[in-house]
Amino acid sequence: MRAASDPAAAGLGGGRRLPAGPLRTGPLAGELTSSLIGRVAGRYGMERGEVLAQWSLTGSPARHPGGGGVRADAEVVLNGAGRRVLAELCGVDSRVLARALPAYMVDGPAEDAVARGRWRAAQTVAGQAVFGCRSCAARRTGQAVSSVVYRPRWRRVCVRHGKWLLDADADPVWEHLELGGVSEVVRAQYRWAGVRRRAVRAGRDPDVVFDMAHAVVCRWWDQAPGREEETIWPRRLYRLAEVNAGGDLGWWRIVGRDAVVFPEAVAVAGVLLEPGTSELAWEAFGGERLRARGADDPLCRRLGERVGRPWLGPLAGTDYDGALSAHIGALARARRPGGEDRAGWRDDPWRVRSEHRPATAAALLRVRAAEARQAGSGTRWRAAVSAETRREIGQWADEAAESLGALRGVQGSGTTREVARVLLESLTDSAEKVDLALLTAARAALDAGVGLDEVAGWCRLPAGDLVRILAQPQDDGQDEDGTARV
């Protein structure tokens, strides 16, 4: 083998020989090893694949679906010989690379004299990957080059240059969002520093705390469309899109979501860390006199006030299928006699269940692209049917289920007249709610492109009858004064 100081000796993978004499390429803090290799290629004026050929690589890099290119968050882990080759190419001491690159010392392929590497997804190596700030890269290296760095979800704002760094697992239409019109997002990044210190003092992992808060606000974000009371997020999203040259609002709701909800996520994390939160959760269930949570949930009321939405408290208090509900329930169970002794991993109040984790922007963009390639009944229900219509269907179905649930045990006692009255009134009310949900769902399916014969068959009605029913003025099941009709 040639002298280790000669980078031309790095052709251990059988690739093109590099120019004599190393060209120094310093790493960026938290950078992916694969990102540094890409910048090394640019420094030598070579293609990235030619430099990657210096290692014997196994596996395949993650690619975008549909025959797309290699994803920016595809990571490479190296063995000892491979790390030495990278250090020689960069002209940087291995100890410097070990401090800067989170994946540099991750166990790679078997150790031998050959420089080896293995492709991995960044998420499985050292966490979430985002596109780095080009202005910061220019300040560090003298060149405004593209880079990919590891950043937790709570550290996406470049406060120096006012940018929101985007995830690297999606197609790089943009690498960042300008935050000039939404300075509250930058201020929230500063506030997070105090919340993070409180989490550490409380013995909580800041990543876990933010994940819970992020899941809570993303649940609200999904429920926000169609709510007249929600005015903060739409204004913020419009300002963000305006600063960044506009575009399709549906695309912006996906790409801009995490930036738009970031101030609320920081506020929610702060409330959940407050010492009195567990007491509020205990009160939400009635304390010693256990009862179901309701619109008067004191913790939800406090959260609504902290995020500037007093109207949100009652709605969050009656939402029983989200991360916040699971968190409050776990806190309350821990307050019961012997609750702390029985608590385990499944009862950890900070664990975000898989069904409560919000979909990533990359996943939502892939669904959006698949929907665009399909038509008619091949579209996704959530894309074809408005959030307001989906909420109406769910609300009527829930009200019908509540009326039917009240019938349990009603036939066990009481006079014939009283039992018959309760049964018939409840069944009639439930039937009306079911009819409203059925007709709304049928109308939404037809508007989305589903065939009339199919919809009529599922409704168990002749197609002509269904058309006549849907052609009638829509009835909301209420009298003119707003009271429910029985």
Side-chain angles (χ1 to χ4, degrees):
M1 245 175 76
R2 299 176 61 184
S5 60
D6 185 355
L12 298 175
R16 170 182 161 184
R17 293 165 64 85
L18 297 171
L23 298 175
R24 190 179 190 282
T25 307
L28 302 173
E31 189 173 13
L32 272 67
T33 304
S34 60
S35 172
L36 176 59
I37 293 174
R39 291 198 300 112
V40 167
R43 189 87 165 113
Y44 282 100
M46 301 172 63
E47 294 294 330
R48 187 167 181 263
E50 293 179 299
V51 176
L52 284 170
Q54 309 307 310
W55 293 272
S56 176
L57 298 174
T58 59
S60 300
R63 292 182 174 274
H64 295 291
V70 176
R71 283 175 23 179
D73 67 334
E75 179 62 296
V76 173
V77 294
L78 306 173
N79 66 356
R83 291 191 284 268
R84 289 192 292 273
V85 168
L86 180 59
E88 292 167 3
L89 294 178
C90 295
V92 176
D93 190 278
S94 286
R95 290 171 294 183
V96 175
L97 295 180
R99 288 195 297 269
L101 307 180
Y104 187 70
M105 297 304 294
V106 172
D107 290 337
E111 291 294 341
D112 54 31
V114 178
R116 301 184 186 277
R118 182 169 65 244
W119 286 107
R120 297 273 299 278
Q123 179 73 36
T124 65
V125 178
Q128 298 158 338
V130 300
F131 290 103
C133 174
R134 290 193 178 222
S135 300
C136 289
R139 184 170 177 268
R140 173 72 175 81
T141 67
Q143 293 180 307
V145 294
S146 177
S147 62
V148 184
V149 297
Y150 289 102
R151 289 284 181 88
R153 197 170 295 281
W154 48 262
R155 193 171 160 236
R156 299 298 174 85
V157 178
C158 175
V159 295
R160 181 185 295 274
H161 301 108
K163 298 176 181 179
W164 180 270
L165 307 181
L166 292 174
D167 292 339
D169 56 353
D171 281 323
V173 178
W174 286 342
E175 296 183 357
H176 66 268
L177 303 178
E178 296 287 349
L179 298 176
V182 285
S183 57
E184 60 266 37
V185 178
V186 179
R187 293 195 299 270
Q189 186 69 75
Y190 285 109
R191 289 200 307 274
W192 168 256
V195 177
R196 183 173 183 271
R197 287 193 294 270
R198 287 166 50 197
V200 172
R201 287 196 299 268
R204 302 292 181 188
D205 184 344
D207 288 353
V208 173
V209 172
F210 189 83
D211 280 349
M212 173 57 70
H214 182 255
V216 170
V217 297
C218 284
R219 172 78 172 178
W220 297 341
W221 171 267
D222 290 338
Q223 297 170 337
R227 297 216 64 89
E228 296 180 357
E229 306 96 326
E230 180 52 66
T231 60
I232 299 175
W233 280 340
R235 285 201 304 266
R236 194 179 296 164
L237 184 62
Y238 275 113
R239 292 203 308 269
L240 190 67
E242 183 180 14
V243 170
N244 291 276
D248 178 22
L249 187 60
W251 184 85
W252 273 106
R253 272 194 56 81
I254 296 174
V255 175
R257 180 197 64 185
D258 288 351
V260 170
V261 305
F262 184 66
E264 285 74 16
V266 173
V268 168
V271 173
L272 297 182
L273 284 170
E274 291 178 354
T277 297
S278 60
E279 180 64 29
L280 292 178
W282 180 240
E283 292 177 8
F285 283 93
E288 297 294 340
R289 302 179 64 181
L290 290 178
R291 61 174 176 81
R293 285 175 54 235
D296 60 343
D297 186 320
L299 178 53
C300 292
R301 184 169 62 249
R302 176 174 294 185
L303 286 171
E305 293 169 353
R306 292 292 181 86
V307 298
R309 298 166 175 83
W311 52 269
L312 181 60
L315 295 178
T318 54
D319 181 6
Y320 305 115
D321 186 26
L324 179 60
S325 179
H327 181 79
I328 295 174
L331 290 176
R333 287 192 295 273
R335 287 291 302 269
R336 296 174 187 169
E340 293 185 359
D341 297 334
R342 294 194 302 269
W345 173 76
R346 294 186 180 278
D347 285 322
D348 181 1
W350 296 100
R351 181 178 70 91
V352 181
R353 301 172 185 172
S354 57
E355 62 269 24
H356 296 156
R357 288 192 177 277
T360 64
L364 293 174
L365 288 174
R366 286 193 289 270
V367 170
R368 178 181 169 85
E371 291 167 351
R373 292 192 295 268
Q374 297 174 336
S377 60
T379 57
R380 297 297 183 97
W381 179 262
R382 287 179 60 87
V385 180
S386 69
E388 183 177 6
T389 300
R390 299 197 308 268
R391 187 175 66 251
E392 288 178 353
I393 295 172
Q395 180 179 348
W396 285 322
D398 290 342
E399 291 178 1
E402 184 178 352
S403 296
L404 292 174
L407 297 179
R408 294 174 183 171
V410 72
Q411 301 183 75
S413 61
T415 64
T416 301
R417 183 179 185 281
E418 181 63 21
V419 171
R421 182 187 66 80
V422 174
L423 278 173
L424 295 175
E425 286 183 350
S426 297
L427 289 170
T428 301
D429 182 63
S430 299
E432 288 183 349
K433 299 299 184 184
V434 169
D435 285 344
L436 287 170
L438 183 146
L439 294 178
T440 303
R443 183 178 288 106
L446 292 171
D447 291 343
V450 182
L452 173 62
D453 291 338
E454 285 186 297
V455 174
W458 297 331
C459 294
R460 299 181 184 178
L461 288 172
D465 290 350
L466 179 61
V467 171
R468 283 192 294 274
I469 294 172
L470 294 178
Q472 296 174 1
Q474 189 170 2
D475 189 357
D476 61 0
Q478 295 181 344
D479 290 325
E480 293 182 358
D481 60 358
T483 58
R485 185 169 56 253
V486 179

